[in-house]
PDB file of all heavy atoms in Angstrom:
ATOM      1  N   ILE A  29       3.294 -12.846  10.978  1.00  0.00           N
ATOM      2  CA  ILE A  29       3.838 -12.229   9.758  1.00  0.00           C
ATOM      3  C   ILE A  29       2.720 -11.598   8.924  1.00  0.00           C
ATOM      4  O   ILE A  29       2.872 -10.490   8.397  1.00  0.00           O
ATOM      5  CB  ILE A  29       4.665 -13.250   8.964  1.00  0.00           C
ATOM      6  CG1 ILE A  29       5.928 -13.603   9.775  1.00  0.00           C
ATOM      7  CG2 ILE A  29       5.027 -12.731   7.583  1.00  0.00           C
ATOM      8  CD1 ILE A  29       6.674 -14.812   9.301  1.00  0.00           C
ATOM      9  N   ARG A  30       1.584 -12.280   8.804  1.00  0.00           N
ATOM     10  CA  ARG A  30       0.443 -11.682   8.076  1.00  0.00           C
ATOM     11  C   ARG A  30      -0.007 -10.381   8.728  1.00  0.00           C
ATOM     12  O   ARG A  30      -0.274  -9.389   8.056  1.00  0.00           O
ATOM     13  CB  ARG A  30      -0.734 -12.653   8.050  1.00  0.00           C
ATOM     14  CG  ARG A  30      -0.658 -13.679   6.989  1.00  0.00           C
ATOM     15  CD  ARG A  30      -2.006 -14.405   6.896  1.00  0.00           C
ATOM     16  NE  ARG A  30      -1.847 -15.620   6.135  1.00  0.00           N
ATOM     17  CZ  ARG A  30      -2.205 -16.820   6.533  1.00  0.00           C
ATOM     18  NH1 ARG A  30      -2.783 -16.993   7.701  1.00  0.00           N
ATOM     19  NH2 ARG A  30      -2.016 -17.869   5.772  1.00  0.00           N
ATOM     20  N   THR A  31      -0.099 -10.392  10.064  1.00  0.00           N
ATOM     21  CA  THR A  31      -0.530  -9.195  10.785  1.00  0.00           C
ATOM     22  C   THR A  31       0.469  -8.061  10.572  1.00  0.00           C
ATOM     23  O   THR A  31       0.065  -6.913  10.321  1.00  0.00           O
ATOM     24  CB  THR A  31      -0.691  -9.501  12.287  1.00  0.00           C
ATOM     25  OG1 THR A  31      -1.666 -10.541  12.433  1.00  0.00           O
ATOM     26  CG2 THR A  31      -1.128  -8.279  13.071  1.00  0.00           C
ATOM     27  N   ALA A  32       1.739  -8.372  10.661  1.00  0.00           N
ATOM     28  CA  ALA A  32       2.769  -7.349  10.450  1.00  0.00           C
ATOM     29  C   ALA A  32       2.680  -6.787   9.028  1.00  0.00           C
ATOM     30  O   ALA A  32       2.750  -5.568   8.822  1.00  0.00           O
ATOM     31  CB  ALA A  32       4.149  -7.944  10.705  1.00  0.00           C
ATOM     32  N   ALA A  33       2.497  -7.661   8.042  1.00  0.00           N
ATOM     33  CA  ALA A  33       2.395  -7.204   6.653  1.00  0.00           C
ATOM     34  C   ALA A  33       1.171  -6.317   6.458  1.00  0.00           C
ATOM     35  O   ALA A  33       1.244  -5.251   5.838  1.00  0.00           O
ATOM     36  CB  ALA A  33       2.347  -8.401   5.709  1.00  0.00           C
ATOM     37  N   ARG A  34       0.031  -6.739   6.996  1.00  0.00           N
ATOM     38  CA  ARG A  34      -1.195  -5.933   6.865  1.00  0.00           C
ATOM     39  C   ARG A  34      -1.031  -4.566   7.517  1.00  0.00           C
ATOM     40  O   ARG A  34      -1.465  -3.545   6.967  1.00  0.00           O
ATOM     41  CB  ARG A  34      -2.382  -6.666   7.480  1.00  0.00           C
ATOM     42  CG  ARG A  34      -2.884  -7.795   6.634  1.00  0.00           C
ATOM     43  CD  ARG A  34      -4.158  -8.405   7.234  1.00  0.00           C
ATOM     44  NE  ARG A  34      -4.473  -9.648   6.561  1.00  0.00           N
ATOM     45  CZ  ARG A  34      -4.531 -10.836   7.138  1.00  0.00           C
ATOM     46  NH1 ARG A  34      -4.305 -10.956   8.433  1.00  0.00           N
ATOM     47  NH2 ARG A  34      -4.818 -11.908   6.453  1.00  0.00           N
ATOM     48  N   ASN A  35      -0.426  -4.533   8.693  1.00  0.00           N
ATOM     49  CA  ASN A  35      -0.221  -3.254   9.377  1.00  0.00           C
ATOM     50  C   ASN A  35       0.681  -2.329   8.563  1.00  0.00           C
ATOM     51  O   ASN A  35       0.404  -1.134   8.444  1.00  0.00           O
ATOM     52  CB  ASN A  35       0.354  -3.481  10.771  1.00  0.00           C
ATOM     53  CG  ASN A  35      -0.661  -4.084  11.725  1.00  0.00           C
ATOM     54  OD1 ASN A  35      -1.868  -4.033  11.486  1.00  0.00           O
ATOM     55  ND2 ASN A  35      -0.180  -4.689  12.794  1.00  0.00           N
ATOM     56  N   LEU A  36       1.740  -2.866   8.003  1.00  0.00           N
ATOM     57  CA  LEU A  36       2.628  -2.038   7.183  1.00  0.00           C
ATOM     58  C   LEU A  36       1.959  -1.596   5.885  1.00  0.00           C
ATOM     59  O   LEU A  36       2.156  -0.475   5.419  1.00  0.00           O
ATOM     60  CB  LEU A  36       3.931  -2.788   6.883  1.00  0.00           C
ATOM     61  CG  LEU A  36       4.890  -2.862   8.070  1.00  0.00           C
ATOM     62  CD1 LEU A  36       6.046  -3.814   7.769  1.00  0.00           C
ATOM     63  CD2 LEU A  36       5.410  -1.476   8.416  1.00  0.00           C
ATOM     64  N   LEU A  37       1.130  -2.472   5.304  1.00  0.00           N
ATOM     65  CA  LEU A  37       0.403  -2.079   4.100  1.00  0.00           C
ATOM     66  C   LEU A  37      -0.582  -0.954   4.397  1.00  0.00           C
ATOM     67  O   LEU A  37      -0.784  -0.065   3.558  1.00  0.00           O
ATOM     68  CB  LEU A  37      -0.303  -3.284   3.476  1.00  0.00           C
ATOM     69  CG  LEU A  37       0.642  -4.280   2.798  1.00  0.00           C
ATOM     70  CD1 LEU A  37      -0.104  -5.549   2.436  1.00  0.00           C
ATOM     71  CD2 LEU A  37       1.308  -3.661   1.578  1.00  0.00           C
ATOM     72  N   GLN A  38      -1.186  -0.966   5.576  1.00  0.00           N
ATOM     73  CA  GLN A  38      -2.064   0.147   5.971  1.00  0.00           C
ATOM     74  C   GLN A  38      -1.281   1.446   6.077  1.00  0.00           C
ATOM     75  O   GLN A  38      -1.726   2.486   5.617  1.00  0.00           O
ATOM     76  CB  GLN A  38      -2.728  -0.141   7.317  1.00  0.00           C
ATOM     77  CG  GLN A  38      -4.056  -0.808   7.209  1.00  0.00           C
ATOM     78  CD  GLN A  38      -4.740  -0.879   8.576  1.00  0.00           C
ATOM     79  OE1 GLN A  38      -4.093  -1.023   9.617  1.00  0.00           O
ATOM     80  NE2 GLN A  38      -6.041  -0.778   8.557  1.00  0.00           N
ATOM     81  N   VAL A  39      -0.106   1.368   6.680  1.00  0.00           N
ATOM     82  CA  VAL A  39       0.739   2.553   6.822  1.00  0.00           C
ATOM     83  C   VAL A  39       1.100   3.124   5.457  1.00  0.00           C
ATOM     84  O   VAL A  39       1.095   4.338   5.237  1.00  0.00           O
ATOM     85  CB  VAL A  39       2.019   2.220   7.631  1.00  0.00           C
ATOM     86  CG1 VAL A  39       3.047   3.335   7.542  1.00  0.00           C
ATOM     87  CG2 VAL A  39       1.666   1.915   9.079  1.00  0.00           C
ATOM     88  N   HIS A  40       1.401   2.249   4.515  1.00  0.00           N
ATOM     89  CA  HIS A  40       1.864   2.677   3.197  1.00  0.00           C
ATOM     90  C   HIS A  40       0.749   2.748   2.148  1.00  0.00           C
ATOM     91  O   HIS A  40       1.021   2.952   0.971  1.00  0.00           O
ATOM     92  CB  HIS A  40       2.974   1.742   2.708  1.00  0.00           C
ATOM     93  CG  HIS A  40       4.199   1.789   3.570  1.00  0.00           C
ATOM     94  ND1 HIS A  40       5.012   2.898   3.659  1.00  0.00           N
ATOM     95  CD2 HIS A  40       4.725   0.868   4.418  1.00  0.00           C
ATOM     96  CE1 HIS A  40       5.992   2.662   4.503  1.00  0.00           C
ATOM     97  NE2 HIS A  40       5.847   1.430   4.985  1.00  0.00           N
ATOM     98  N   ALA A  41      -0.497   2.597   2.558  1.00  0.00           N
ATOM     99  CA  ALA A  41      -1.625   2.609   1.616  1.00  0.00           C
ATOM    100  C   ALA A  41      -1.649   3.853   0.731  1.00  0.00           C
ATOM    101  O   ALA A  41      -1.903   3.738  -0.476  1.00  0.00           O
ATOM    102  CB  ALA A  41      -2.943   2.447   2.365  1.00  0.00           C
ATOM    103  N   PRO A  42      -1.371   5.048   1.256  1.00  0.00           N
ATOM    104  CA  PRO A  42      -1.382   6.219   0.363  1.00  0.00           C
ATOM    105  C   PRO A  42      -0.349   6.116  -0.776  1.00  0.00           C
ATOM    106  O   PRO A  42      -0.622   6.533  -1.893  1.00  0.00           O
ATOM    107  CB  PRO A  42      -1.048   7.385   1.301  1.00  0.00           C
ATOM    108  CG  PRO A  42      -1.500   6.923   2.654  1.00  0.00           C
ATOM    109  CD  PRO A  42      -1.209   5.436   2.655  1.00  0.00           C
ATOM    110  N   VAL A  43       0.793   5.527  -0.495  1.00  0.00           N
ATOM    111  CA  VAL A  43       1.821   5.353  -1.527  1.00  0.00           C
ATOM    112  C   VAL A  43       1.328   4.383  -2.593  1.00  0.00           C
ATOM    113  O   VAL A  43       1.478   4.621  -3.793  1.00  0.00           O
ATOM    114  CB  VAL A  43       3.144   4.849  -0.903  1.00  0.00           C
ATOM    115  CG1 VAL A  43       4.164   4.501  -1.977  1.00  0.00           C
ATOM    116  CG2 VAL A  43       3.701   5.877   0.061  1.00  0.00           C
ATOM    117  N   VAL A  44       0.734   3.282  -2.160  1.00  0.00           N
ATOM    118  CA  VAL A  44       0.204   2.282  -3.097  1.00  0.00           C
ATOM    119  C   VAL A  44      -0.873   2.916  -3.963  1.00  0.00           C
ATOM    120  O   VAL A  44      -0.857   2.792  -5.196  1.00  0.00           O
ATOM    121  CB  VAL A  44      -0.349   1.045  -2.348  1.00  0.00           C
ATOM    122  CG1 VAL A  44      -1.094   0.121  -3.296  1.00  0.00           C
ATOM    123  CG2 VAL A  44       0.784   0.309  -1.639  1.00  0.00           C
ATOM    124  N   GLN A  45      -1.814   3.603  -3.338  1.00  0.00           N
ATOM    125  CA  GLN A  45      -2.914   4.229  -4.084  1.00  0.00           C
ATOM    126  C   GLN A  45      -2.402   5.248  -5.088  1.00  0.00           C
ATOM    127  O   GLN A  45      -2.884   5.318  -6.220  1.00  0.00           O
ATOM    128  CB  GLN A  45      -3.914   4.883  -3.118  1.00  0.00           C
ATOM    129  CG  GLN A  45      -4.675   3.909  -2.266  1.00  0.00           C
ATOM    130  CD  GLN A  45      -5.574   2.986  -3.073  1.00  0.00           C
ATOM    131  OE1 GLN A  45      -6.080   3.338  -4.122  1.00  0.00           O
ATOM    132  NE2 GLN A  45      -5.758   1.776  -2.587  1.00  0.00           N
ATOM    133  N   GLU A  46      -1.437   6.043  -4.696  1.00  0.00           N
ATOM    134  CA  GLU A  46      -0.880   7.052  -5.606  1.00  0.00           C
ATOM    135  C   GLU A  46      -0.184   6.391  -6.791  1.00  0.00           C
ATOM    136  O   GLU A  46      -0.322   6.828  -7.930  1.00  0.00           O
ATOM    137  CB  GLU A  46       0.091   7.977  -4.853  1.00  0.00           C
ATOM    138  CG  GLU A  46       0.745   9.027  -5.734  1.00  0.00           C
ATOM    139  CD  GLU A  46      -0.233   9.959  -6.438  1.00  0.00           C
ATOM    140  OE1 GLU A  46      -1.332  10.217  -5.913  1.00  0.00           O
ATOM    141  OE2 GLU A  46       0.107  10.444  -7.537  1.00  0.00           O
ATOM    142  N   HIS A  47       0.570   5.335  -6.537  1.00  0.00           N
ATOM    143  CA  HIS A  47       1.247   4.627  -7.626  1.00  0.00           C
ATOM    144  C   HIS A  47       0.231   4.022  -8.591  1.00  0.00           C
ATOM    145  O   HIS A  47       0.384   4.140  -9.807  1.00  0.00           O
ATOM    146  CB  HIS A  47       2.163   3.537  -7.077  1.00  0.00           C
ATOM    147  CG  HIS A  47       2.913   2.811  -8.154  1.00  0.00           C
ATOM    148  ND1 HIS A  47       4.113   3.271  -8.645  1.00  0.00           N
ATOM    149  CD2 HIS A  47       2.616   1.696  -8.861  1.00  0.00           C
ATOM    150  CE1 HIS A  47       4.529   2.457  -9.601  1.00  0.00           C
ATOM    151  NE2 HIS A  47       3.628   1.494  -9.750  1.00  0.00           N
ATOM    152  N   VAL A  48      -0.790   3.379  -8.052  1.00  0.00           N
ATOM    153  CA  VAL A  48      -1.828   2.773  -8.881  1.00  0.00           C
ATOM    154  C   VAL A  48      -2.489   3.836  -9.753  1.00  0.00           C
ATOM    155  O   VAL A  48      -2.673   3.660 -10.948  1.00  0.00           O
ATOM    156  CB  VAL A  48      -2.868   2.040  -7.998  1.00  0.00           C
ATOM    157  CG1 VAL A  48      -4.121   1.691  -8.782  1.00  0.00           C
ATOM    158  CG2 VAL A  48      -2.245   0.779  -7.395  1.00  0.00           C
ATOM    159  N   LYS A  49      -2.810   4.962  -9.137  1.00  0.00           N
ATOM    160  CA  LYS A  49      -3.458   6.060  -9.874  1.00  0.00           C
ATOM    161  C   LYS A  49      -2.526   6.645 -10.938  1.00  0.00           C
ATOM    162  O   LYS A  49      -2.916   6.823 -12.088  1.00  0.00           O
ATOM    163  CB  LYS A  49      -3.873   7.146  -8.875  1.00  0.00           C
ATOM    164  CG  LYS A  49      -4.568   8.324  -9.489  1.00  0.00           C
ATOM    165  CD  LYS A  49      -4.948   9.319  -8.404  1.00  0.00           C
ATOM    166  CE  LYS A  49      -5.457  10.607  -8.987  1.00  0.00           C
ATOM    167  NZ  LYS A  49      -5.717  11.606  -7.941  1.00  0.00           N
ATOM    168  N   ARG A  50      -1.296   6.934 -10.555  1.00  0.00           N
ATOM    169  CA  ARG A  50      -0.336   7.577 -11.461  1.00  0.00           C
ATOM    170  C   ARG A  50       0.010   6.675 -12.645  1.00  0.00           C
ATOM    171  O   ARG A  50       0.203   7.147 -13.751  1.00  0.00           O
ATOM    172  CB  ARG A  50       0.925   7.954 -10.673  1.00  0.00           C
ATOM    173  CG  ARG A  50       1.913   8.782 -11.471  1.00  0.00           C
ATOM    174  CD  ARG A  50       3.104   9.277 -10.659  1.00  0.00           C
ATOM    175  NE  ARG A  50       3.818   8.216  -9.992  1.00  0.00           N
ATOM    176  CZ  ARG A  50       3.931   8.085  -8.674  1.00  0.00           C
ATOM    177  NH1 ARG A  50       3.363   8.935  -7.865  1.00  0.00           N
ATOM    178  NH2 ARG A  50       4.613   7.092  -8.147  1.00  0.00           N
ATOM    179  N   HIS A  51       0.066   5.362 -12.409  1.00  0.00           N
ATOM    180  CA  HIS A  51       0.467   4.432 -13.463  1.00  0.00           C
ATOM    181  C   HIS A  51      -0.718   3.717 -14.107  1.00  0.00           C
ATOM    182  O   HIS A  51      -0.531   2.755 -14.848  1.00  0.00           O
ATOM    183  CB  HIS A  51       1.480   3.424 -12.918  1.00  0.00           C
ATOM    184  CG  HIS A  51       2.772   4.075 -12.536  1.00  0.00           C
ATOM    185  ND1 HIS A  51       3.771   4.326 -13.446  1.00  0.00           N
ATOM    186  CD2 HIS A  51       3.217   4.548 -11.347  1.00  0.00           C
ATOM    187  CE1 HIS A  51       4.774   4.919 -12.836  1.00  0.00           C
ATOM    188  NE2 HIS A  51       4.466   5.065 -11.565  1.00  0.00           N
ATOM    189  N   LEU A  52      -1.930   4.214 -13.810  1.00  0.00           N
ATOM    190  CA  LEU A  52      -3.149   3.665 -14.399  1.00  0.00           C
ATOM    191  C   LEU A  52      -3.210   2.147 -14.257  1.00  0.00           C
ATOM    192  O   LEU A  52      -3.417   1.419 -15.224  1.00  0.00           O
ATOM    193  CB  LEU A  52      -3.269   4.076 -15.872  1.00  0.00           C
ATOM    194  CG  LEU A  52      -3.288   5.578 -16.136  1.00  0.00           C
ATOM    195  CD1 LEU A  52      -3.219   5.850 -17.631  1.00  0.00           C
ATOM    196  CD2 LEU A  52      -4.503   6.234 -15.511  1.00  0.00           C
TER     197      LEU A  52
END
């Protein structure tokens, strides 16, 4: 489950980074 979560977080990293940036 940890491996699956990490892999999906890598896939979605650009979305996370954009949200963090946009919402300061």
Side-chain angles (χ1 to χ4, degrees):
I29 293 166
R30 277 191 195 127
T31 301
R34 285 186 191 119
N35 289 341
L36 285 171
L37 288 170
Q38 268 188 326
V39 168
H40 296 293
V43 173
V44 171
Q45 293 296 330
E46 178 59 29
H47 182 86
V48 166
K49 181 179 171 185
R50 187 174 55 243
H51 294 276
L52 301 172

